[in-house]
């Protein structure tokens, strides 16, 4: 899926972002770490931490949106390929006139290929 996105030469998709998302290990349970002891000037540090966390959350939301776009493009492409295959597999039988035309063309091509040069 993501390999198809990497092959797209389009400025809209950041291939570095797709590579990072492919390489990122998924964790079902987040790592739980004990919060550090806050000094007396904690409100400034907490505000900075909250701002950094909000920036990280917005970056992660953007990455999720990109991955959803990649998955959607892959689904649309798979559906298009399935439709093409079903058209090829489920071709209607030829009418008698169409078979006659096809046979004439086949005979002409065969004659041209087997004709001495």
């Amino acid at each position: 899926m993501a390999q198809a996105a990497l092959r797209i030469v389009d400025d809209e998709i950041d291939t570095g972002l797709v590579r990072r998302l492919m390489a990122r290990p998924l964790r079902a349970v987040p790592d739980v770490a004990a919060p550090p002891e806050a000094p007396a000037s904690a409100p400034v540090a907490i505000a900075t931490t909250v701002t950094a966390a909000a920036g990280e959350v917005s970056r992660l939301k953007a990455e999720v949106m990109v991955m959803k776009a990649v998955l959607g493009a892959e689904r649309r492409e798979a559906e298009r390929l399935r439709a093409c295959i079903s058209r090829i597999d489920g071709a209607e039988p030829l009418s008698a006139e169409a078979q006659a035309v096809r046979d004439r063309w086949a005979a002409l091509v065969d004659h041209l290929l087997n004709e001495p040069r």
Side-chain angles (χ1 to χ4, degrees), residues 55-70:
E56 181 71 15
V57 167
S58 64
R59 185 184 64 79
L60 290 173
K61 283 182 181 179
E63 288 182 6
V64 167
M65 287 174 45
V66 168
M67 284 306 292
K68 283 183 179 180
V70 168

Side-chain angles (χ1 to χ4, degrees), residues 3-67:
Q3 291 172 355
L6 291 176
R7 282 183 268 161
I8 297 173
V9 184
D10 194 9
D11 293 336
E12 293 180 16
I13 296 177
D14 179 14
T15 57
L17 176 65
V18 175
R19 283 191 180 99
R20 284 196 313 274
L21 290 172
M22 286 172 38
R24 175 177 288 158
L26 298 176
R27 295 185 184 108
V29 179
D31 294 335
V32 179
E37 293 296 321
S41 63
V44 174
I46 291 175
T48 305
T49 305
V50 169
T51 305
E56 181 71 15
V57 167
S58 64
R59 185 184 64 79
L60 290 173
K61 283 182 181 179
E63 288 182 6
V64 167
M65 287 174 45
V66 168
M67 284 306 292

Side-chain angles (χ1 to χ4, degrees), residues 93-105:
L94 294 176
S95 65
E97 183 181 346
Q99 286 178 350
V101 169
R102 184 184 63 186
D103 292 341
R104 281 196 304 260
W105 277 102

Side-chain angles (χ1 to χ4, degrees), residues 70-86:
V70 168
L71 287 171
E74 181 188 13
R75 287 185 187 123
R76 287 189 300 274
E77 182 66 17
E79 184 60 35
R80 187 185 68 79
L81 290 174
R82 282 190 197 103
C84 289
I85 290 171
S86 67

